Amino acid sequence: MKYFFTTLFLLIAVTAFGQQHPIQKINISHLTKNFYVCVSYGYPDGDEPFPANCLFAVTDKGIILINTPWGDEQTQQLVDSVQRRFNKKIVLCIATHFHDDCVAGFDVLKKQGTKTYTSKQTYALAKKENNELPQYTFTRDTTFTFDGVTLQTWFPGEGHTRDNIVVWFPQDKILFGGCLVKSLEATTKGFTGDANLKQWPLTIDNVGRKFADARYVIPGHQGWQGSTKQLRHTQQIIGKQ
């Protein structure tokens, strides 16, 4: 009988191991000047890997990162990659909302000395969900300047989540819209379990008015071609029944 249970245990272990998702490799693409987009991958639907975007700027004194890659392993890949490629550390990271595709690498970053930030609302929601937490928070729209690079956080209203912010780099007219903004590749609303679908189109209106001169708009997922056309596309997607 003990051999039966041993065999059964091994079968269950092998089956469980077989269901684990393979570790994905991040992909880094040059955007413009000293800005890069890092694509990592998660499995929100269980089967196929789905891309998530984070943005980073390289400065002489270190790297500024908007959103972490999707999980510890891929965040460590980014830490190692920028160290090899630029001989720099990530010194500052700001997450745009509380979901794992934004904050799931915070613990890795904190271990290597990165200062991690979110809004207070994002902190509270992440804590409620047992997601990884930042070291620091800000209460209102905040401007950060590091080694000559200025970025501005802005809460335009509820949409994908109650806490979603965007991040604006005024010197280069780059807007990181995060999951509030849908890529032109998107055909569905995606996950809406924490969304305010009624407010979302109005929030996109706010973004469009404030950042009408954006040269680049980086959505939370998929490609970032189309600049502000992605805002109109987002409204069309959210307006579908």
Side-chain angles (χ1 to χ4, degrees):
M1 181 63 73
K2 72 176 182 179
Y3 297 110
F4 169 80
F5 284 112
T6 300
T7 303
L8 180 61
F9 173 80
L10 290 173
L11 179 61
I12 292 171
V14 168
T15 301
F17 181 80
Q19 291 175 340
Q20 290 181 351
H21 296 125
I23 296 172
Q24 298 291 326
K25 291 186 178 180
I26 62 170
N27 181 56
I28 296 174
S29 300
H30 181 238
L31 182 65
T32 183
K33 296 182 181 178
N34 58 324
F35 287 87
Y36 297 80
V37 177
C38 173
V39 180
S40 60
Y41 299 86
Y43 291 84
D45 296 324
D47 296 322
E48 296 297 323
F50 191 66
N53 302 322
C54 53
L55 176 72
F56 67 89
V58 181
T59 78
D60 289 341
K61 295 182 179 179
I63 288 173
I64 302 166
L65 176 65
I66 310 301
N67 283 358
T68 78
W70 209 333
D72 288 349
E73 172 63 34
Q74 292 178 95
T75 301
Q76 188 62 54
Q77 289 181 37
L78 179 60
V79 169
D80 295 341
S81 179
V82 297
Q83 182 64 48
R84 289 193 304 268
R85 186 169 179 176
F86 305 107
N87 194 28
K88 308 286 184 187
K89 287 188 175 182
I90 300 169
V91 294
L92 170 66
C93 179
I94 299 170
T96 56
H97 66 279
F98 73 97
H99 287 164
D100 273 345
D101 52 357
C102 302
V103 303
F106 268 165
D107 289 350
V108 167
L109 294 177
K110 286 185 282 188
K111 287 178 183 177
Q112 66 110 44
T114 305
K115 292 183 178 180
T116 53
Y117 286 83
T118 67
S119 71
K120 282 193 172 181
Q121 187 177 20
T122 294
Y123 183 99
L125 290 169
K127 186 174 183 179
K128 183 178 180 181
E129 292 294 314
N130 293 316
N131 291 346
E132 294 183 21
L133 300 174
Q135 295 165 296
Y136 307 103
T137 61
F138 45 88
T139 304
R140 57 184 63 87
D141 301 334
T142 303
T143 298
F144 295 79
T145 300
F146 180 82
D147 198 23
V149 175
T150 296
L151 63 91
Q152 300 164 347
T153 71
W154 189 55
F155 175 67
E158 297 185 9
H160 174 68
T161 58
R162 286 176 285 165
D163 62 320
N164 48 211
I165 63 171
V166 298
V167 179
W168 174 241
F169 292 84
Q171 293 151 314
D172 294 279
K173 300 189 183 303
I174 298 170
L175 177 67
F176 187 87
C179 297
L180 179 67
V181 177
K182 292 290 183 181
S183 166
L184 294 182
E185 297 175 15
T187 58
T188 69
K189 297 181 181 72
F191 175 70
T192 58
D194 298 310
N196 184 335
L197 293 174
K198 184 177 180 180
Q199 179 65 33
W200 199 337
L202 303 176
T203 298
I204 291 295
D205 273 343
N206 294 337
V207 173
R209 285 193 297 268
K210 189 173 180 68
F211 305 110
D213 61 341
R215 292 179 58 210
Y216 302 95
V217 178
I218 311 300
H221 300 278
Q222 300 176 291
W224 50 90
Q225 293 73 28
S227 186
T228 55
K229 290 180 182 178
Q230 295 170 102
L231 303 180
R232 294 188 292 276
H233 181 68
T234 300
Q235 290 181 315
Q236 293 171 355
I237 291 291
I238 301 308
K240 289 181 180 179
Q241 298 299 319

